[in-house]
Amino acid sequence: MPNQTTDETSTNKLKHENSQLLREYQQSRSERVRNQLVKLNFGLARKEAHYWINQCNESYEDLLQVACMGLIRAIEKFELSKGNAFSSYAMPYIRGEIQHYLRDKGVTVRIPRRWLALQQQAVGLSRSLSEQYNRPPTDSELAAALAISLSEWQEIKLAWINRAPLSLDVPIQDGEEGSTCLGELVPDKNYRSFQLAQEDKIRLQQALIQLEQRTRDVVEFVFFYDLTQKQVAAHLGISVVTVSRQVKKGLDMLKKIMGVTED
């Protein structure tokens, strides 16, 4: 019991010190303070570098250096006023920086065989659970059906989604008003390159969480799992027209969440 109390005191002290330094950095933009923040949160970069060392052939030192670049970016963009926990805010930036680095180098990211098998199993389970509940299953329900933890299932999803660059220009037919694409979500109308900018991708992933479950499932299956609308309809037990409408609804909602204005 005393050890638990000591750990809690240490954690609270660390959080307090982190908040103080973040507040000071927002006011001063001091390189000295930023370096203190990097040192204080170095464990986040170390943890992510350790994870990716098993997914590629890059050296730990190189991955750690890239992870620290993501940590610095998170420090520079973090806003205390929004009330987010810094560690939760920073991890997508750290992970994104490493993924961006690996893709630029043309490194093939390995997905463990067990994860590939679970992903395949999840496709079938998702359909049967959708029929059982008359709605798409939640991540927690899928994880329980797979007999794995929620955190592991989310890691599997993340690895699958990030196995290849997102294309901005893949047209998605909506059956009613021509086609739409992910490129419409990027605020910079001049930015139409092959790969979605890493920062925009992080924003997109965070915005997806805010969609209602059915719409989010459809958008993820179409854009991230490379399924056709016909395949998604069969998978979820709904019509192709419903899939088309959900795609359009999802893109419209994502535009609002991400602050994309119409011309």
Side-chain angles (χ1 to χ4, degrees):
M1 195 71 174
N3 287 338
Q4 184 179 354
T5 304
T6 302
D7 289 342
E8 289 176 356
T9 301
S10 178
T11 300
N12 290 334
K13 184 178 179 182
L14 180 65
K15 287 181 179 179
H16 180 67
E17 184 179 356
N18 216 28
S19 296
Q20 282 189 319
L21 288 172
L22 284 165
R23 186 173 291 106
E24 185 178 346
Y25 181 69
Q26 286 183 3
Q27 294 171 351
S28 67
R29 292 294 167 179
S30 162
E31 186 175 340
R32 175 188 60 80
V33 176
R34 190 188 69 187
N35 290 342
Q36 284 181 272
L37 281 163
V38 170
K39 184 177 180 181
L40 193 62
N41 294 280
F42 191 65
L44 298 176
R46 205 165 46 223
K47 178 182 178 182
E48 196 65 18
H50 271 300
Y51 169 79
W52 286 98
I53 197 67
N54 297 317
Q55 316 300 319
C56 65
N57 297 318
E58 298 297 296
S59 72
Y60 173 72
E61 290 73 20
D62 286 346
L63 290 174
L64 184 58
Q65 184 176 358
V66 174
C68 285
M69 290 170 60
L71 176 58
I72 290 172
R73 177 175 291 189
I75 290 169
E76 291 175 342
K77 292 186 172 293
F78 185 74
E79 295 180 27
L80 272 171
S81 59
K82 293 189 176 180
N84 298 317
F86 179 74
S87 58
S88 300
Y89 179 87
M91 288 309 294
Y93 283 94
I94 297 170
R95 181 177 294 126
E97 198 70 35
I98 291 178
Q99 290 168 342
H100 191 63
Y101 167 77
L102 294 177
R103 287 181 185 141
D104 280 352
K105 293 197 67 177
V107 174
T108 300
V109 176
R110 297 192 299 267
I111 299 179
R113 286 186 181 181
R114 177 173 175 273
W115 282 14
L116 289 172
L118 286 168
Q119 172 61 33
Q120 293 295 323
Q121 188 180 347
V123 173
L125 281 172
S126 180
R127 182 172 184 176
S128 62
L129 289 173
S130 294
E131 293 173 353
Q132 180 182 340
Y133 299 140
N134 199 28
R135 60 168 173 77
T138 64
D139 280 353
S140 296
E141 290 165 343
L142 262 179
L146 290 166
I148 60 176
S149 67
L150 175 59
S151 60
E152 183 177 13
W153 170 239
Q154 289 173 336
E155 287 287 348
I156 292 170
K157 282 183 66 178
L158 184 67
W160 188 263
I161 288 170
N162 288 297
R163 72 198 186 283
L166 287 178
S167 172
L168 285 173
D169 300 315
V170 173
I172 304 298
Q173 295 297 134
D174 65 24
E176 295 177 357
E177 301 179 18
S179 64
T180 52
C181 65
L182 275 182
E184 295 181 11
L185 300 179
V186 180
D188 183 359
K189 299 300 182 183
N190 297 319
Y191 184 81
R192 288 292 182 271
S193 66
F194 173 76
Q195 188 171 331
L196 184 61
Q198 193 63 32
E199 189 171 326
D200 284 318
K201 182 174 179 179
I202 291 170
R203 289 179 60 228
L204 177 59
Q205 289 174 334
Q206 292 173 338
L208 276 167
I209 298 172
Q210 301 180 50
L211 299 183
E212 59 186 47
Q213 189 68 43
R214 169 55 68 88
T215 304
R216 178 183 171 188
D217 286 337
V218 170
V219 170
E220 287 186 347
F221 279 130
V222 170
F223 287 107
F224 299 144
Y225 290 78
D226 302 324
L227 299 183
T228 65
Q229 292 196 26
K230 186 176 181 181
Q231 289 172 324
V232 175
H235 176 65
L236 295 177
I238 57 180
S239 69
V240 175
V241 172
T242 299
V243 172
S244 296
R245 288 174 177 165
Q246 289 290 332
V247 168
K248 186 176 187 302
K249 177 183 177 182
L251 287 173
D252 288 343
M253 291 177 70
L254 287 170
K255 287 179 189 178
K256 291 179 181 178
I257 293 169
M258 297 177 71
V260 179
T261 56
E262 301 291 346
D263 289 336

